[in-house]
PDB file of all heavy atoms in Angstrom:
ATOM      1  N   ARG J 728     -54.260  49.937  -6.337  1.00 98.00           N
ATOM      2  CA  ARG J 728     -55.488  50.012  -5.559  1.00 98.00           C
ATOM      3  C   ARG J 728     -55.432  49.103  -4.334  1.00 98.00           C
ATOM      4  O   ARG J 728     -56.034  49.380  -3.307  1.00 98.00           O
ATOM      5  CB  ARG J 728     -56.682  49.630  -6.439  1.00 98.00           C
ATOM      6  CG  ARG J 728     -57.980  50.091  -5.851  1.00 98.00           C
ATOM      7  CD  ARG J 728     -59.223  49.662  -6.638  1.00 98.00           C
ATOM      8  NE  ARG J 728     -59.054  49.337  -8.015  1.00 98.00           N
ATOM      9  CZ  ARG J 728     -59.623  49.999  -9.029  1.00 98.00           C
ATOM     10  NH1 ARG J 728     -60.359  51.053  -8.787  1.00 98.00           N
ATOM     11  NH2 ARG J 728     -59.460  49.588 -10.274  1.00 98.00           N
ATOM     12  N   SER J 753     -50.231  53.326  -9.733  1.00 98.00           N
ATOM     13  CA  SER J 753     -51.057  53.004 -10.903  1.00 98.00           C
ATOM     14  C   SER J 753     -52.126  54.095 -11.066  1.00 98.00           C
ATOM     15  O   SER J 753     -52.293  54.953 -10.190  1.00 98.00           O
ATOM     16  CB  SER J 753     -51.757  51.658 -10.699  1.00 98.00           C
ATOM     17  OG  SER J 753     -52.763  51.802  -9.715  1.00 98.00           O
ATOM     18  N   GLN J 767     -48.023  58.803 -11.745  1.00 96.00           N
ATOM     19  CA  GLN J 767     -48.661  57.651 -12.403  1.00 96.00           C
ATOM     20  C   GLN J 767     -47.776  57.024 -13.479  1.00 96.00           C
ATOM     21  O   GLN J 767     -47.267  57.698 -14.363  1.00 96.00           O
ATOM     22  CB  GLN J 767     -49.984  58.088 -13.038  1.00 96.00           C
ATOM     23  CG  GLN J 767     -50.727  56.948 -13.721  1.00 96.00           C
ATOM     24  CD  GLN J 767     -51.898  57.430 -14.532  1.00 96.00           C
ATOM     25  OE1 GLN J 767     -52.633  58.320 -14.107  1.00 96.00           O
ATOM     26  NE2 GLN J 767     -52.079  56.852 -15.706  1.00 96.00           N
ATOM     27  N   VAL J 768     -47.658  55.708 -13.388  1.00 97.00           N
ATOM     28  CA  VAL J 768     -46.903  54.945 -14.388  1.00 97.00           C
ATOM     29  C   VAL J 768     -47.901  54.333 -15.363  1.00 97.00           C
ATOM     30  O   VAL J 768     -48.937  53.827 -14.939  1.00 97.00           O
ATOM     31  CB  VAL J 768     -46.108  53.818 -13.686  1.00 97.00           C
ATOM     32  CG1 VAL J 768     -45.476  52.882 -14.705  1.00 97.00           C
ATOM     33  CG2 VAL J 768     -45.063  54.399 -12.750  1.00 97.00           C
ATOM     34  N   THR J 771     -51.132  56.260 -19.956  1.00 89.00           N
ATOM     35  CA  THR J 771     -51.546  57.662 -19.842  1.00 89.00           C
ATOM     36  C   THR J 771     -50.793  58.371 -18.722  1.00 89.00           C
ATOM     37  O   THR J 771     -51.098  59.498 -18.375  1.00 89.00           O
ATOM     38  CB  THR J 771     -53.075  57.764 -19.609  1.00 89.00           C
ATOM     39  OG1 THR J 771     -53.452  56.769 -18.661  1.00 89.00           O
ATOM     40  CG2 THR J 771     -53.839  57.543 -20.888  1.00 89.00           C
ATOM     41  N   SER J 786     -52.539  45.117 -10.220  1.00 98.00           N
ATOM     42  CA  SER J 786     -52.946  43.878 -10.896  1.00 98.00           C
ATOM     43  C   SER J 786     -52.106  43.586 -12.139  1.00 98.00           C
ATOM     44  O   SER J 786     -51.881  42.430 -12.486  1.00 98.00           O
ATOM     45  CB  SER J 786     -54.426  43.950 -11.272  1.00 98.00           C
ATOM     46  OG  SER J 786     -54.670  45.080 -12.086  1.00 98.00           O
ATOM     47  N   GLN J 790     -52.387  48.552 -19.708  1.00 92.00           N
ATOM     48  CA  GLN J 790     -52.022  49.983 -19.753  1.00 92.00           C
ATOM     49  C   GLN J 790     -50.976  50.324 -18.689  1.00 92.00           C
ATOM     50  O   GLN J 790     -50.240  51.291 -18.847  1.00 92.00           O
ATOM     51  CB  GLN J 790     -53.260  50.857 -19.528  1.00 92.00           C
ATOM     52  CG  GLN J 790     -54.325  50.720 -20.595  1.00 92.00           C
ATOM     53  CD  GLN J 790     -55.332  49.647 -20.263  1.00 92.00           C
ATOM     54  OE1 GLN J 790     -55.198  48.927 -19.286  1.00 92.00           O
ATOM     55  NE2 GLN J 790     -56.360  49.529 -21.097  1.00 92.00           N
ATOM     56  N   ASN J 805     -48.534  40.638  -4.526  1.00 98.00           N
ATOM     57  CA  ASN J 805     -49.972  40.649  -4.767  1.00 98.00           C
ATOM     58  C   ASN J 805     -50.594  39.436  -4.090  1.00 98.00           C
ATOM     59  O   ASN J 805     -49.992  38.366  -4.075  1.00 98.00           O
ATOM     60  CB  ASN J 805     -50.242  40.601  -6.280  1.00 98.00           C
ATOM     61  CG  ASN J 805     -51.652  41.049  -6.621  1.00 98.00           C
ATOM     62  OD1 ASN J 805     -52.621  40.456  -6.166  1.00 98.00           O
ATOM     63  ND2 ASN J 805     -51.739  42.090  -7.428  1.00 98.00           N
TER      64      ASN J 805
HETATM   65  P1  FAD L 111     -56.596  46.855  -9.621  1.00 82.11           P
HETATM   66  O1  FAD L 111     -56.692  46.370 -11.000  1.00 82.11           O
HETATM   67  O2  FAD L 111     -57.875  47.013  -8.839  1.00 82.11           O
HETATM   68  O3  FAD L 111     -55.643  45.851  -8.853  1.00 82.11           O
HETATM   69  C1  FAD L 111     -55.438  45.841  -7.464  1.00 82.11           C
HETATM   70  C2  FAD L 111     -54.564  44.641  -7.150  1.00 82.11           C
HETATM   71  O4  FAD L 111     -54.219  44.666  -5.780  1.00 82.11           O
HETATM   72  C3  FAD L 111     -55.243  43.303  -7.413  1.00 82.11           C
HETATM   73  O5  FAD L 111     -54.432  42.510  -8.254  1.00 82.11           O
HETATM   74  C4  FAD L 111     -55.395  42.676  -6.033  1.00 82.11           C
HETATM   75  O6  FAD L 111     -55.210  41.275  -6.056  1.00 82.11           O
HETATM   76  C5  FAD L 111     -54.252  43.346  -5.279  1.00 82.11           C
HETATM   77  N1  FAD L 111     -54.491  43.445  -3.839  1.00 82.11           N
HETATM   78  C6  FAD L 111     -55.596  43.903  -3.197  1.00 82.11           C
HETATM   79  N2  FAD L 111     -55.413  43.889  -1.858  1.00 82.11           N
HETATM   80  C7  FAD L 111     -54.170  43.391  -1.639  1.00 82.11           C
HETATM   81  C8  FAD L 111     -53.407  43.118  -0.474  1.00 82.11           C
HETATM   82  N3  FAD L 111     -53.891  43.392   0.749  1.00 82.11           N
HETATM   83  N4  FAD L 111     -52.185  42.591  -0.636  1.00 82.11           N
HETATM   84  C9  FAD L 111     -51.661  42.325  -1.862  1.00 82.11           C
HETATM   85  N5  FAD L 111     -52.349  42.553  -3.007  1.00 82.11           N
HETATM   86  C10 FAD L 111     -53.581  43.099  -2.903  1.00 82.11           C
HETATM   87  N6  FAD L 111     -53.511  52.203 -15.517  1.00 82.11           N
HETATM   88  C11 FAD L 111     -52.292  52.542 -15.103  1.00 82.11           C
HETATM   89  O7  FAD L 111     -51.795  52.052 -14.067  1.00 82.11           O
HETATM   90  N7  FAD L 111     -51.565  53.482 -15.804  1.00 82.11           N
HETATM   91  C12 FAD L 111     -52.020  54.057 -16.930  1.00 82.11           C
HETATM   92  O8  FAD L 111     -51.332  54.909 -17.501  1.00 82.11           O
HETATM   93  C13 FAD L 111     -53.323  53.675 -17.405  1.00 82.11           C
HETATM   94  N8  FAD L 111     -53.812  54.198 -18.537  1.00 82.11           N
HETATM   95  C14 FAD L 111     -55.025  53.770 -18.993  1.00 82.11           C
HETATM   96  C15 FAD L 111     -55.516  54.245 -20.223  1.00 82.11           C
HETATM   97  C16 FAD L 111     -56.735  53.815 -20.703  1.00 82.11           C
HETATM   98  C17 FAD L 111     -57.220  54.338 -22.016  1.00 82.11           C
HETATM   99  C18 FAD L 111     -57.499  52.890 -19.953  1.00 82.11           C
HETATM  100  C19 FAD L 111     -58.817  52.389 -20.472  1.00 82.11           C
HETATM  101  C20 FAD L 111     -57.042  52.417 -18.744  1.00 82.11           C
HETATM  102  C21 FAD L 111     -55.809  52.858 -18.230  1.00 82.11           C
HETATM  103  N9  FAD L 111     -55.308  52.402 -17.011  1.00 82.11           N
HETATM  104  C22 FAD L 111     -54.062  52.745 -16.633  1.00 82.11           C
HETATM  105  C23 FAD L 111     -56.157  51.631 -16.074  1.00 82.11           C
HETATM  106  C24 FAD L 111     -55.899  50.137 -16.103  1.00 82.11           C
HETATM  107  O9  FAD L 111     -56.682  49.524 -17.096  1.00 82.11           O
HETATM  108  C25 FAD L 111     -56.264  49.529 -14.740  1.00 82.11           C
HETATM  109  O10 FAD L 111     -57.596  49.821 -14.441  1.00 82.11           O
HETATM  110  C26 FAD L 111     -55.371  50.018 -13.594  1.00 82.11           C
HETATM  111  O11 FAD L 111     -54.018  49.910 -13.934  1.00 82.11           O
HETATM  112  C27 FAD L 111     -55.653  49.187 -12.348  1.00 82.11           C
HETATM  113  O12 FAD L 111     -54.900  49.671 -11.283  1.00 82.11           O
HETATM  114  P2  FAD L 111     -54.464  48.730 -10.109  1.00 82.11           P
HETATM  115  O13 FAD L 111     -53.675  47.588 -10.638  1.00 82.11           O
HETATM  116  O14 FAD L 111     -53.855  49.587  -9.065  1.00 82.11           O
HETATM  117  O15 FAD L 111     -55.871  48.244  -9.509  1.00 82.11           O
END
Side-chain angles (χ1 to χ4, degrees):
R728 198 184 338 243
S753 71
Q767 181 190 319
V768 172
T771 43
S786 57
Q790 297 91 355
N805 198 300

